[in-house]
Amino acid sequence: MYAFEYQKPKSLADAAARAANEDAKILAGGMTLIPTLKQRLARPSELIDLGGIAELKGIRKEGNDVVIGAMTRHADVAASDLVRSTIPALADLAGMIGDPAVRHRGTIGGSIANADPAADYPAAVVGLGATVITNQRQIPGDDFFTGLFETALEPGEIITAVRFPPAQKAAYMKFRNPASRYAIVGVFVAQTAGGVRVAVTGAGPSVFRQKEMEAALSKSFSPDVIKDVKQSPDGLNSDIHASAEYRAHLVGVMARRAVEKCG
Amino acid sequence: MPTVSMTVNGKKVSGTVEPRTLLVQFLRETLGLTGTHVGCDTSQCGACVVDIDGDSVKSCTILAVQCEGANVTTIEGLANGSELHPMQEAFREHHGLQCGFCTPGMIMSAVDLVKKNPNPTEQEIRHWLEGNLCRCTGYHNIVKAIEAGAKAMGARK
Amino acid sequence: MSETGIGARVTRKEDFRFVTGRGTYTDDINRPNQLWMWLLRSPHAHARLKKIDTTAAAKMPGVHAIFTHDDLARDNVGGLPCGWLIHSKDGSPMVEPPHPVLAAGVVRHVGDPIAAVIAETRAQAREAAEAIEVDYEVLPAVVDTREAIKDGAPQIWPEAKNNTCFDWHLGDKDAVDKAFAKAAHVTKLDLVNNRLVPNAMEPRAAIGEYDVATGEHTLWTTSQNPHVIRLLMGAFVLHIPEHKLRVVAPDVGGGFGSKIYHYAEEALVTWAAAKVKRPVKWTADRSESFMSDAQGRDHHTHAELALDKDGKFLGLRVSTLANLGAYLSTFSTSIPTYLYGTLLAGTYTTPAIYVETRAVFTNTVPVDAYRGAGRPEASYLLERIVDLAADELGIDPAELRRRNFIPKDAYPYQTPVALQYDSGDYFTTLDMALKAADYANFEARRKEAASRGKYRGIGMATYIEACGIAPSAVAGALGARAGLYEMAEVRVHPTGSVTLFTGCHSHGQGHETTFAQLVADRLGIPIDQVEVVHGDTGKIPFGMGTYGSRSLPVGGSAIVKALDKVVAKGKKIAAHLLEAAEADIEFKDGKFQVAGTDRAKTFGEIALTAYVPHKYPIEELEPGLDETAFYDPKNFTYPAGAHVVEVEIDPDTGVVELKGVWAADDFGRIINPMIVEGQVHGGLAQGIGQALLEHCVYDDSGQLLTGSFNDYAMPRADDLPSFHLGTNATLCTHNPLGVKGCGEAGAIGSPGAVMNAIVDALSPLGVKHIDMPASPRRIWETIQAHRPRMAAE
């Protein structure tokens, strides 16, 4: 790691003011940032640890929605009675992220702000039509992820929470990379008030919605109706573990299994 | 340089560290607690797992300064003098270790598992160990040791 | 059997320190006033170093010195030696290019060290290394042996035409040609043995220290064989006489072969410590391990098996391209030759075998022994081609194997590839494994799986290995530049407790327990009265270390020899004390007794007498009870066995699920079954890892694509099932314990069994062969490639 200054602000306003500095980086759970620093792939002048801001933690119900504070850990989402009873698929997904030690530190805010193409949470944010709440505004999940490791966040903008509307049915299926255990393909399927959503992570540079599958499932919510929907490999990721064609195929398989899992 | 204070294995400790100091460096280099190991630089292997405020955490992926005020338990803090913790005893009894390098992280992970799931199945144990690599044992005897350790921890309560 | 004697499941003496975090690994050691070393490593696979400018780096905070090849050359520091000379078919010696400690003008693989920075802290050393300016002229690189041997391929060494180090062969080519001429059937197979990264969980580390007052150098290092390092580094690299060089390998966190070799970092910290007059420490990051630890396997092989109409093997013809990487690692050249070609008879009576191995330089990390070392490559090849032959001939693969096994009464059995097997019974272990796996009823399980849309398969592999390396004279005749005996010193203390000094090194094998069991058993003393010391050239006499499953067959035999000497001397002392003839003294259960009487002296009384020789035959006998023995084996040992694996494949994803893994092994006599089982478990995991997960991949430019655990798939707990083990012993006939060794067996037999099971599962699709690793992607792609044919049929 290169040397940096460390700050642990007590308030969101203080954190935001510091985060306006372009050379500063926000530290949430650190599960991606710290390995990145260790590999000397980033050289921030300052780390702003959000761990001291109480208002960013916790899970609460607002109306029918589940609102998860940005600094809430994956393990807490996975174990939350509120999440388990309202959107069990979301708790399942949180329990599939990384390994137990990672789930004990990693946070939802950190995960989605990082926008790793193989991360799990983006599939839930888009798949459930969630809203990302920041210190400045509310961003619809569909508009949040803008590309490879890119989001709609502006400099100094800090995620404070994510609001998840409940779904009638939802499930997440993930095909793990045999080495890293990140998603080679993860598909989140949900029947929501706004229609069926199929969100795919791992396969492309950023999470995306599989609209053809959504259309087919809107007519009849069963695995069979998407059997013949072909995901195009164009633009999908390709690496030693999975070609674009294999990923495209797995999108179909994971989507069908997710629909099956919805019951 | 900032000063950091925390409780490690029941003792209050503090030290002056660079902000970039990882908890594992603080434990090994400042406190001389070399039981916590470093087996990789990508947060995969789990040789460095310690308990922080009741949860297993990779001490190579957290800064020492983030642990201000925390309660940390390392492998050195498990045994009561020469009396081993039941999970340590189970690893010894069931040959759950060979070279011993991954062992501290394995045991710390296992203890956390059993705290959260007192009667884990073989599959639950194997799944829980997703973040702990061992190259010697093929995990076979680690799983057996954790099954036995879980029983022993239950009996101790 | 006593509770701690031979055959007892004694829990390990070493475990208390390991489970409490009180082991002492090299990185746990810090010397007063120590500095740190960081190495600037090449980012290119092949480049000329036009200029190295350390000016700015040298001014960085904390920096004490920056060394490059020129500094080493001024001190006449030598290159890293290769320990085994191979001759080509035409009698010419192998091409043996230099292996400089720091790159001399050219870098030849990603990670090749260029400069060593010595600084106050590790971070400062690393930061300064990044500030070194190197002007690289990037050269074309080649990583694949099939490309490297072509005319016009990038040349890694001018002296190695077509990048060939040697073109070796073994066996009777004419006899093989004749066998093929009369064959009723010939099975042909091309296969790849995938390149692996050993990845012991403890990264390598080294600390050098120099005592200005005495001129003594000390090196702490993560080594499987400290004496070998002392010999190689002292004699060939740094020119330090052995009496001024101490090498300590403390607790070592796994080796699997990768910590046998003498590495540049060991020489650098030792040399640099003397230059800067302060201890110098280096610890590898895992990322460095991936580009600096010797890697394993990497063969491309074409094989042909000739059979008669009844399925008897008539001849085997094998041609292998073996990747050596960019430099010759310490024992690299022996692996694809004498540890590979000599094993190609396997468990079979194949009368004529011919193997040729062309060893090739590439712009990759050096390749050397990795668990099994040559023998897994031989076993995998044989067991795949036997299965393919069985498939082609329509013979049950178990039946085809039985038809060709060496008969139980044929020992000693001389193979056509140099080895003479002393004992074995391949029928029983195969039957045991098949029975345990319920092979007879497998087809019902295949059918049931098919009804769920899954492909289920069962596969078997038998293996034999040559362990307990080796008779020194044989190894020497074959090109080894070292002896391969082992030593033991049994130091009996005046009150009868024992310290055992062994030249073997434990890095997970449990020697402190197994060897103590041997001592306790022979001397009839409690096991807690025995302490085993290893790993420090300052304490132990010259020993060769641990690799090739040799510790018990060779090191254990040395212990027995030394114990025999202790007992023999004890008898003399007892005879004197008991006023009896020496011939009448029996030693049993810790007592020296006059045969047929109740007159006896305990072991402790004899020990005390040896050191307090008041009533002692001082004219004939020296005081003391401290005996050393060196044991040089008469032959290799030949552990063997059978593995059976059952898999189920999900055609939608390509995922292979292991439904069962059964191993039945013959390790000869077993001292501690618990430890032996552990060795097999670990070997199985590594073999299964090779078959399903692990693959070290470089891109065409020589960049390592699998440079961390994020890309190199290590077996995890949820990738593996629990294993089912059994043993059947035929004793080794030529060592005093009858032991054969067990450290590598699991890794040798399992890849073939897994891959045979996978091919069997996919056989309904017409699949005949799949290369390792059988990753989900590869399985899925194989299924896709075979599906159109199914549709057309």
Side-chain angles (χ1 to χ4, degrees), chain B residues 67-109:
Chain B
C67 300
E68 177 65 39
N71 197 343
V72 178
T73 306
T74 72
I75 188 71
E76 288 96 339
L78 271 193
N80 181 9
S82 63
E83 187 197 334
L84 295 178
H85 182 281
M87 191 59 77
Q88 292 173 310
E89 188 59 53
F91 268 69
R92 178 162 78 165
E93 189 63 32
H94 293 269
H95 192 30
L97 63 149
Q98 290 181 27
C99 81
F101 195 79
C102 77
T103 309
M106 281 286 175
I107 291 177
M108 295 309 294
S109 263

Side-chain angles (χ1 to χ4, degrees), chain C residues 417-722:
Chain C
V417 274
L419 299 178
Q420 192 187 74
Y421 303 165
D422 65 327
S423 65
D425 172 3
Y426 315 130
F427 296 88
T428 300
T429 42
L430 179 61
D431 288 346
M432 284 172 70
L434 290 174
K435 189 160 180 253
D438 191 24
Y439 182 68
N441 295 307
F442 170 72
E443 288 306 325
R445 301 199 289 279
R446 191 199 298 273
K447 226 178 191 173
E448 187 279 327
S451 74
R452 290 182 281 112
K454 301 283 167 66
Y455 293 113
R456 195 158 176 131
I458 194 163
M460 69 196 73
T462 67
Y463 72 89
I464 187 163
E465 40 172 339
C467 295
I469 298 170
S472 295
V474 173
L478 300 179
R481 288 160 167 167
L484 286 159
Y485 49 82
E486 197 42 85
M487 66 65 53
E489 180 189 338
V490 176
R491 191 177 296 171
V492 181
H493 303 295
T495 58
S497 68
V498 170
T499 304
L500 170 72
F501 298 84
T502 172
C504 295
H505 184 276
S506 180
H507 29 282
Q509 293 87 344
H511 296 160
E512 291 172 39
T513 305
T514 304
F515 289 174
Q517 278 180 263
L518 281 184
V519 174
D521 190 84
R522 286 265 161 161
L523 298 183
I525 59 175
I527 195 165
D528 61 10
Q529 293 289 298
V530 185
E531 195 67 28
V532 176
V533 175
H534 64 95
D536 183 346
T537 65
K539 293 179 179 169
I540 56 171
F542 196 93
M544 294 304 296
T546 287
Y547 39 82
S549 308
R550 72 191 298 276
S551 294
L552 197 55
V554 189
S557 296
I559 294 167
V560 171
K561 267 185 81 174
L563 291 169
D564 285 348
K565 290 185 186 179
V566 167
V567 170
K569 186 168 181 181
K571 280 184 180 175
K572 286 190 186 8
I573 299 168
H576 186 84
L577 286 178
L578 295 164
E579 294 170 345
E582 187 189 329
D584 290 338
I585 305 290
E586 287 174 343
F587 182 65
K588 214 180 148 208
D589 300 329
K591 274 193 194 132
F592 293 89
Q593 191 154 9
V594 181
T597 75
D598 58 359
R599 289 161 55 220
K601 292 283 177 191
T602 63
F603 181 75
E605 289 173 300
I606 297 301
L608 190 63
T609 308
Y611 288 95
V612 188
H614 294 160
K615 192 183 175 200
Y616 196 82
I618 202 80
E619 311 280 301
E620 305 139 43
L621 213 54
E622 296 168 15
L625 199 50
D626 181 352
E627 297 289 352
T628 298
F630 285 71
Y631 176 80
D632 201 282
K634 297 186 189 74
N635 190 355
F636 292 87
T637 61
Y638 299 97
H643 291 178
V644 176
V645 168
E646 193 164 322
V647 300
E648 195 166 289
I649 295 173
D650 177 353
D652 282 343
T653 58
V655 167
V656 176
E657 188 189 349
L658 292 166
K659 304 303 282 190
V661 177
W662 297 267
D665 299 296
D666 176 1
F667 299 133
R669 178 167 285 120
I670 288 172
I671 309 298
N672 186 325
M674 178 193 82
I675 288 176
V676 168
E677 287 161 13
Q679 290 292 307
V680 177
H681 295 153
L684 287 171
Q686 281 171 305
I688 291 167
Q690 169 166 30
L692 295 181
L693 294 161
E694 299 181 42
H695 194 191
C696 176
V697 184
Y698 295 86
D699 72 9
D700 289 343
S701 72
Q703 290 296 321
L704 182 58
L705 297 181
T706 50
S708 81
F709 293 142
N710 276 319
D711 291 303
Y712 187 88
M714 289 279 280
R716 303 193 194 213
D718 60 359
D719 290 318
L720 299 168
S722 287

